[in-house]
Amino acid sequence: MKVAAVQVDVKIGEVEQNLAQTIELIGETRSAGAELTIFPECALTGYCYSDLNEARQFAQNIPGPATDLIVKALQEFGGYAIFGMLEPSPEGVYNVAVLAGPNGVIGVYRKIHLPGLGVDQFATFGDRPFEVYDLGEIKVGIGICYDSAFPESIRIMAIQGADLIALPTNFPTGAEQMTKFVMNTRSMENKVYFAAVNRVGEERGFRFIGETVITDPTGNTISKGSGKDEEILYFDVDPEKSRNKRIDRVPGKHAIDRLADRRPEMYEKLTEPHSLPRPGRDD
């Protein structure tokens, strides 16, 4: 399947403008043959809100006006899209990534790991498990930005059969090591494709570093975006390469399978609750 990763600038609070840009770019990527188009985190809303009351103004129900317009565009153009926005929660807002197609909203992922930055400082923690979606040719798992710093997140989706991990991001200055090393590692250790789709530009004193990175199941970089320019990166996902987890380095003598070789009975500590304080958050 041909996939497009769209690295763009986003205008905070300008939902209509961001939405129009998203729809226009879906048309462009579909013209280039992409079956799936992935946009950055909070691509419809912007990210660096100063408080919860401000962010609430730009959250929309899903399905709702914004997702309805994107579904309508997909009915015209075909294909699928993953894009970030804000969704109302009982306590305020969720930071979400939406997967939509011509028949409507397919899935909504609510960000589970929240850093002390931007809207995540007061967003509601995601309350749904990681999920993998079957798009016919490939299966796609979805995380958002900081989730990639937790290897458990990606491993769960690999176990569920993901061929591609789509990660809408807002990596700011200081996160360069993520685009240099982490995505490659997550791909290699799970034998999956990985698309960390970042934004560019500045928002309320924060600069976003771009460097959208696409990696293959060997952990090699397929393509990488610039640090400042808006651009579209295209790549192909071959599910045969992601689904065969066995690696025979020396036939008959050296074989590994990083999913089959797991020892989950030894990992109990990973699921124990903790009481460590979270930077930038009171909860």
Side-chain angles (χ1 to χ4, degrees):
M1 177 183 280
K2 187 172 184 177
V3 181
V6 181
Q7 179 171 287
V8 291
D9 196 354
V10 177
K11 307 302 179 188
I12 189 167
E14 300 292 338
V15 176
E16 290 187 9
Q17 181 178 341
N18 296 329
L19 183 58
Q21 174 180 243
T22 299
I23 290 171
E24 179 181 352
L25 288 165
I26 290 172
E28 182 176 342
T29 60
R30 284 294 294 149
S31 295
E35 295 292 335
L36 170 64
T37 304
I38 308 169
F39 292 88
E41 177 181 12
C42 289
L44 300 189
T45 57
Y47 180 74
C48 294
Y49 289 98
S50 58
D51 57 52
L52 182 55
N53 288 331
E54 183 188 23
R56 273 197 180 106
Q57 301 174 54
F58 304 102
Q60 292 192 21
N61 290 328
I62 303 170
T67 59
D68 287 350
L69 286 172
I70 290 179
V71 169
K72 184 177 180 181
L74 293 168
Q75 289 171 344
E76 176 184 352
F77 299 129
Y80 303 92
I82 295 172
F83 51 92
M85 60 182 290
L86 300 178
E87 177 192 21
S89 77
E91 297 82 16
V93 298
Y94 293 112
N95 180 348
V96 305
V98 180
L99 169 62
N103 295 323
V105 172
I106 298 168
V108 180
Y109 168 69
R110 295 169 173 168
K111 191 173 181 181
I112 287 174
H113 300 101
L114 301 177
L117 174 68
V119 71
D120 288 331
Q121 295 177 91
F122 37 80
T124 303
F125 284 95
D127 58 352
R128 297 172 179 171
F130 291 101
E131 206 169 335
V132 170
Y133 303 93
D134 191 340
L135 301 188
E137 292 182 53
I138 66 170
K139 295 181 179 180
V140 180
I142 302 174
I144 300 176
C145 201
Y146 195 42
D147 289 321
S148 60
F150 300 85
E152 302 89 345
S153 308
I154 314 307
R155 178 52 57 86
I156 287 171
M157 291 185 277
I159 291 170
Q160 294 179 89
D163 299 304
L164 166 68
I165 304 298
L167 188 86
T169 75
N170 272 183
F171 285 142
T173 301
E176 290 81 2
Q177 303 306 313
M178 301 299 290
T179 62
K180 287 180 180 177
F181 304 115
V182 174
M183 309 312 150
N184 303 75
T185 301
R186 299 289 172 264
S187 286
M188 180 273 296
E189 65 194 7
N190 293 290
K191 210 165 186 283
V192 295
Y193 290 87
F194 207 112
V197 185
N198 200 24
R199 62 163 291 185
V200 291
E202 294 189 9
E203 196 177 275
R204 295 182 172 176
F206 288 93
R207 185 180 75 82
F208 297 95
I209 63 172
E211 297 184 7
T212 289
V213 61
I214 314 300
T215 56
D216 71 12
T218 68
N220 288 321
T221 298
I222 298 173
S223 185
K224 192 167 186 178
S226 77
K228 60 180 181 179
D229 297 326
E230 294 185 305
E231 57 187 312
I232 302 174
L233 283 63
Y234 293 96
F235 63 101
D236 292 309
V237 174
D238 180 353
E240 290 188 10
K241 293 182 179 179
S242 57
R243 292 178 187 178
N244 179 14
K245 303 299 185 183
R246 182 183 174 99
I247 301 171
D248 287 290
R249 290 178 172 157
V250 181
K253 294 183 178 181
H254 182 187
I256 61 171
D257 183 323
R258 292 189 177 92
L259 293 194
D261 291 336
R262 289 176 301 123
R263 295 284 310 284
E265 68 274 15
M266 305 300 290
Y267 309 153
E268 292 180 3
K269 282 286 183 183
L270 290 175
T271 60
E272 290 182 2
H274 70 82
S275 58
L276 299 172
R278 296 182 172 95
R281 295 189 61 99
D282 296 327
D283 47 1

